[in-house]
C-alpha cells in the first residue's frame, strides 16, 4: 500500500505525460478490466480505506471524510516530499521508479495445513508482523474469528459484523473487547495495552472456544454500539441516559464501563426500562464521585467487573435503585460506599488539585438553576475567593493570624468557586470581588453564599 501511494503521488506530481501513463498503466490499473470499478485497480484495500484509495487512484474528487483516511494523509505526504525533490533538483523523479522499485523483493510463504498440521495459518499470522510492532488485540481477535472460513464466509462476516465494530469504535476495539470479556464473565482481565495483548488474546480463545464465529461476531457488534454510547458519547436516543453516561465519562470512571455495558444491554433488550437504567447509573455516579472525593479507588479495576454478576439480582428487584445501594453497601472496605459522615470528615482536603472540581461545582450550579454549565468553555474557571497571594488589604481582613488562616483554607472547597473570567479578579479585595461576582460571573454558585458576607 505504501509503495502504491508513492507511485500514485509520483504519477500526479510528475510533469512528463508519457511517464504518467507508464506508471498508471503498469503499476496502478488493470487495463484488461472494464469500467472504472473495483477490478480496474490492482491493489484492493480493506473496507475502511477502500473508498478513499479508489478515488485517489482514479483521480476522482475526495470528500472531507475521504481526506480523514490514513491512505490520503500518506498520499499527501509523498506529494509534499516529491515537490521538495523537484525544488531541490537533486534527482530526476523518473529515476525514483527504476532505482527504487529495483530494490523491492516480495516474499511469499506457501502453507499446506492439510499436509502439515504445524502449518497453522492463524499461528503463522500471529507470529509474523511486517509493521515491527505487536498486533493489537483487535487484529488478533478479528483474524481468529475469520481465518479458516471460506473466502465468501469471511467476506460476509467481515462486512456484516466486524466492519460495523471498527466504524463504531475507531481506535477503541481492543479496549472494547477487554470490557466485553469482563461483562460476559464478571471477572477482571488485564488492561488492553500492548504489553497485555497476547495474554488477553489467549484468555479470549480459552473463554470462547467452540463458540460459533457468526454468533460471537453478532454479539460483539450489538455490544459495540452500546460501548460507543458509553465511551464516545454516541446517543442512546434516551437523553437522560446520555446525560448520565456523559457525567460518568467526565468523572473518569472507565473502571465501571464493563458494568455499564451489562446494564445497557439489559436496557436494550427491554429487561430494564429507561427510568430504572438512569437510577442505576445515578447510584454509580454518586459512588464513583464519593470514591474520588476521599481518594479511594485503587481496587476498582479488579473489583468493578465483578459487579456484573449482581445485575440479574438488581434487575429482578422491585426497587432497582435500592437493590443497587444494598449491594454496594455490602462490599469490602476498599470498595465501600463512603457515607455522609465519612465524606464530611474528609471534606477539608486540597480541592484545587481535584480533577473533578469543575464538574462538582457544575452539579451544584445545576441544583440551584436547573442549568448545567458548559465545562468545555475555556472562560469557565475555578476562582480562589481569598487569593493565592495576599496583599495588605487581605492580611488586614484575615487578622494577625493571617498566615496560618491562609495556609489552612486556601485550597479548601469553601474558598473556591466557579466563575467566568477569573483573570479580572486576581487578589482584588473582597468588596470588589463581590461586585464582580454579582455583575459578571453569571453563575449563582458564586452569589448565593458569598456576596451576602461582609468579611
Amino acid at each position: 500500500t505504501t509503495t502504491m501511494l508513492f507511485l500514485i503521488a509520483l504519477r500526479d506530481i510528475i510533469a512528463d505525460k508519457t511517464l504518467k501513463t507508464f506508471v498508471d498503466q503498469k503499476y496502478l490499473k488493470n487495463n484488461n478490466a472494464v469500467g472504472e470499478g473495483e477490478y480496474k485497480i490492482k491493489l484492493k484495500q480493506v473496507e475502511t480505506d477502500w473508498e478513499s484509495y479508489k478515488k485517489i487512484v482514479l483521480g476522482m474528487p475526495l470528500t472531507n471524510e475521504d481526506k480523514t483516511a490514513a491512505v490520503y494523509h500518506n498520499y499527501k505526504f509523498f506529494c509534499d516530499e516529491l515537490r521538495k525533490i523537484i525544488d531541490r533538483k537533486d534527482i530526476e523523479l523518473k529515476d525514483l521508479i527504476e532505482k527504487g522499485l529495483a530494490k523491492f523483493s516480495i516474499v511469499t510463504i506457501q502453507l499446506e495445513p492439510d499436509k502439515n498440521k504445524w502449518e497453522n495459518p492463524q499461528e503463522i499470522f500471529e507470529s509474523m508482523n511486517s509493521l515491527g510492532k505487536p498486533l493489537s488485540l483487535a487484529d488478533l481477535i478479528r483474524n481468529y474469528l475469520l481465518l479458516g472460513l471460506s473466502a465468501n464466509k469471511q467476506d460476509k462476516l467481515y462486512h456484516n459484523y466486524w466492519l460495523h465494530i471498527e466504524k463504531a469504535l475507531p481506535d477503541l476495539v481492543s479496549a472494547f473487547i477487554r470490557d466485553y470479556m469482563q461483562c460476559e464473565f464478571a471477572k477482571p482481565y488485564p488492561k488492553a495495552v500492548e504489553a497485555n495483548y497476547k495474554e488477553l488474546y489467549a484468555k479470549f480463545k480459552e473463554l470462547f472456544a467452540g463458540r460459533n464465529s457468526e454468533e460471537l461476531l453478532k454479539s460483539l457488534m450489538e455490544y459495540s454500539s452500546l460501548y460507543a454510547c458509553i465511551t464516545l458519547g454516541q446517543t442512546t436516543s434516551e437523553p437522560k441516559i446520555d446525560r448520565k453516561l456523559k457525567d460518568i465519562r467526565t468523572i473518569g470512571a472507565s473502571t465501571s464501563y464493563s458494568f455499564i455495558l451489562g446494564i445497557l444491554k439489559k436496557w436494550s433488550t427491554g429487561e430494564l426500562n429507561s427510568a430504572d437504567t438512569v437510577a442505576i447509573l445515578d447510584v454509580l455516579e454518586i459512588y464513583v464521585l464519593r470514591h474520588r472525593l476521599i481518594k479511594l479507588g485503587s481496587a476498582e479495576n479488579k473489583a468493578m467487573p465483578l459487579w456484573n454478576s449482581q445485575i440479574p439480582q438488581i434487575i429482578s428487584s422491585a426497587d432497582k435503585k435500592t437493590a443497587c445501594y444494598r449491594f454496594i453497601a455490602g462490599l469490602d472496605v476498599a470498595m465501600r460506599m463512603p457515607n455522609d459522615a465519612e465524606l464530611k470528615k474528609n471534606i477539608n482536603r486540597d480541592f484545587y488539585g481535584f480533577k473533578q472540581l469543575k464538574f462538582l461545582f457544575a452539579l451544584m450550579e445545576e441544583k440551584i438553576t436547573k442549568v448545567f454549565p458548559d465545562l468545555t468553555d475555556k472562560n469557565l474557571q475555578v476562582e480562589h475567593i481569598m487569593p493565592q497571594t495576599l496583599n495588605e488589604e487581605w492580611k488586614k481582613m484575615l487578622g494577625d493570624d493571617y498566615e496560618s488562616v491562609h495556609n489552612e483554607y486556601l485550597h479548601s472547597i469553601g474558598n473556591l468557586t466557579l466563575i467566568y473570567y477569573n483573570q479580572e479578579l486576581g487578589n482584588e479585595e473582597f468588596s470588589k470581588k463581590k461586585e464582580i461576582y454579582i455583575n459578571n460571573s453569571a453563575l449563582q454558585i458564586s452569589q448565593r453564599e458569598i456576596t451576602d458576607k461582609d468579611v
Side-chain angles (χ1 to χ4, degrees):
T1 300
T2 306
T3 309
M4 287 296 196
L5 291 171
F6 163 71
L7 287 166
I8 299 166
L10 192 63
R11 176 201 68 185
D12 294 347
I13 293 297
I14 208 161
D16 187 326
K17 289 186 179 179
T18 304
L19 199 51
K20 277 181 183 284
T21 304
F22 170 74
V23 172
D24 204 45
Q25 294 184 354
K26 182 172 176 64
Y27 297 111
L28 304 177
K29 295 178 184 174
N30 176 7
N31 291 321
N32 296 319
V34 178
E36 292 287 290
E38 178 177 330
Y39 298 106
K40 185 73 174 176
I41 298 168
K42 285 191 173 182
L43 183 68
K44 180 76 167 73
Q45 293 293 318
V46 295
E47 198 70 28
T48 47
D49 291 332
W50 176 238
E51 281 303 314
S52 301
Y53 181 80
K54 180 171 68 176
K55 290 177 182 178
I56 293 168
V57 175
L58 299 177
M60 297 165 64
L62 286 97
T63 65
N64 289 333
E65 185 178 356
D66 293 329
K67 291 179 181 180
T68 63
V71 288
Y72 173 76
H73 287 292
N74 294 329
Y75 160 75
K76 190 173 182 302
F77 166 82
F78 281 128
C79 288
D80 294 341
E81 293 301 312
L82 288 168
R83 287 190 187 99
K84 291 176 188 176
I85 289 173
I86 292 172
D87 292 341
R88 291 199 305 266
K89 298 178 181 179
D90 55 358
I91 189 171
E92 289 291 328
L93 292 188
K94 64 180 180 179
D95 293 337
L96 288 174
I97 303 171
E98 185 180 346
K99 292 178 181 178
L101 294 182
K103 295 181 182 293
F104 274 77
S105 298
I106 294 176
V107 178
T108 63
I109 299 174
Q110 186 69 33
L111 300 179
E112 295 183 318
D114 294 336
K115 291 183 181 179
N116 305 313
K117 63 180 180 180
W118 57 85
E119 292 186 357
N120 183 300
Q122 175 65 12
E123 290 179 3
I124 300 290
F125 174 80
E126 291 167 20
S127 66
M128 297 177 63
N129 183 15
S130 61
L131 297 176
K133 63 180 182 180
L135 294 163
S136 72
L137 179 62
D139 293 330
L140 293 167
I141 299 299
R142 179 192 64 225
N143 291 289
Y144 169 72
L145 293 173
L146 297 180
L147 279 181
L149 304 174
S150 68
N152 286 340
K153 185 73 171 175
Q154 282 188 22
D155 197 51
K156 177 192 169 189
L157 297 185
Y158 178 79
H159 282 87
N160 289 355
Y161 304 112
W162 190 265
L163 188 58
H164 173 92
I165 296 167
E166 286 189 338
K167 286 183 175 179
L169 299 169
D171 303 321
L172 283 175
V173 180
S174 294
F176 158 65
I177 289 171
R178 180 253 193 166
D179 277 326
Y180 175 82
M181 292 162 63
Q182 294 189 146
C183 176
E184 282 281 279
F185 296 94
K187 290 181 179 178
Y189 296 108
K191 200 171 182 181
V193 294
E194 193 174 292
N196 297 330
Y197 286 154
K198 286 187 177 179
E199 181 184 349
L200 281 165
Y201 175 56
K203 183 58 68 174
F204 184 93
K205 291 196 292 185
E206 177 190 320
L207 294 171
F208 295 103
R211 183 94 168 254
N212 178 276
S213 287
E214 184 163 7
E215 288 178 6
L216 185 50
L217 280 164
K218 184 181 179 182
S219 177
L220 283 164
M221 183 187 74
E222 291 169 351
Y223 276 88
S224 70
S225 296
L226 299 173
Y227 199 75
C229 298
I230 298 167
T231 57
L232 300 175
Q234 296 295 328
T235 182
T236 62
S237 300
E238 181 57 68
K240 290 184 178 179
I241 293 178
D242 289 348
R243 166 62 196 277
K244 283 296 162 190
L245 294 176
K246 183 179 180 182
D247 283 357
I248 290 164
R249 281 194 304 276
T250 303
I251 295 169
S254 60
T255 50
S256 67
Y257 285 174
S258 60
F259 174 69
I260 299 172
L261 196 56
I263 292 296
L264 288 189
K265 182 61 177 172
K266 295 298 183 185
W267 168 76
S268 72
T269 58
E271 295 172 75
L272 267 176
N273 63 36
S274 295
D276 285 333
T277 302
V278 170
I280 292 168
L281 294 176
D282 191 48
V283 174
L284 178 65
E285 180 183 347
I286 293 166
Y287 173 86
V288 173
L289 197 52
R290 285 185 176 222
H291 260 231
R292 301 290 183 270
L293 280 165
I294 68 168
K295 297 185 179 179
L296 286 174
S298 59
E300 285 179 12
N301 258 323
K302 292 183 178 179
M304 290 191 104
L306 306 177
W307 290 20
N308 285 279
S309 64
Q310 297 297 315
I311 291 177
Q313 188 175 336
I314 291 169
I315 67 171
S316 65
S317 303
D319 185 339
K320 276 67 170 175
K321 190 168 189 174
T322 300
C324 206
Y325 272 128
R326 189 179 295 118
F327 154 63
I328 293 172
L331 295 174
D332 64 20
V333 175
M335 291 302 293
R336 68 192 182 279
M337 167 72 91
N339 60 30
D340 289 358
E342 191 173 8
L343 209 61
K344 287 176 182 176
K345 183 180 176 183
N346 289 278
I347 209 77
N348 287 325
R349 51 168 285 171
D350 179 351
F351 267 91
Y352 194 55
F354 183 49
K355 286 183 180 179
Q356 292 82 18
L357 183 58
K358 275 190 183 180
F359 174 74
L360 195 65
F361 279 140
L363 285 181
M364 296 179 190
E365 179 71 14
E366 185 182 33
K367 188 78 173 176
I368 299 168
T369 64
K370 309 302 181 191
V371 177
F372 190 85
D374 177 11
L375 296 181
T376 64
D377 187 338
K378 292 181 180 178
N379 292 317
L380 191 66
Q381 298 178 11
V382 173
E383 151 78 351
H384 285 84
I385 304 166
M386 173 179 63
Q388 297 194 68
T389 304
L390 297 178
N391 59 23
E392 291 305 316
E393 287 289 334
W394 273 100
K395 290 176 183 177
K396 184 178 177 182
M397 177 178 283
L398 296 176
D400 295 339
D401 205 19
Y402 68 84
E403 278 191 47
S404 61
V405 172
H406 190 250
N407 289 336
E408 183 175 356
Y409 293 107
L410 179 63
H411 298 317
S412 67
I413 196 166
N415 190 48
L416 300 169
T417 190
L418 197 62
I419 66 157
Y420 287 105
Y421 311 113
N422 98 333
Q423 56 267 37
E424 293 181 24
L425 295 165
N427 60 355
E428 289 280 10
E429 60 187 80
F430 188 47
S431 60
K432 288 184 179 178
K433 282 199 171 196
K434 288 196 295 180
E435 288 178 22
I436 294 172
Y437 292 159
I438 293 168
N439 298 322
N440 300 334
S441 77
L443 288 169
Q444 286 297 311
I445 194 172
S446 302
Q447 300 178 20
R448 290 289 181 96
E449 299 294 333
I450 299 172
T451 56
D452 61 339
K453 304 296 186 292
D454 295 323
V455 292

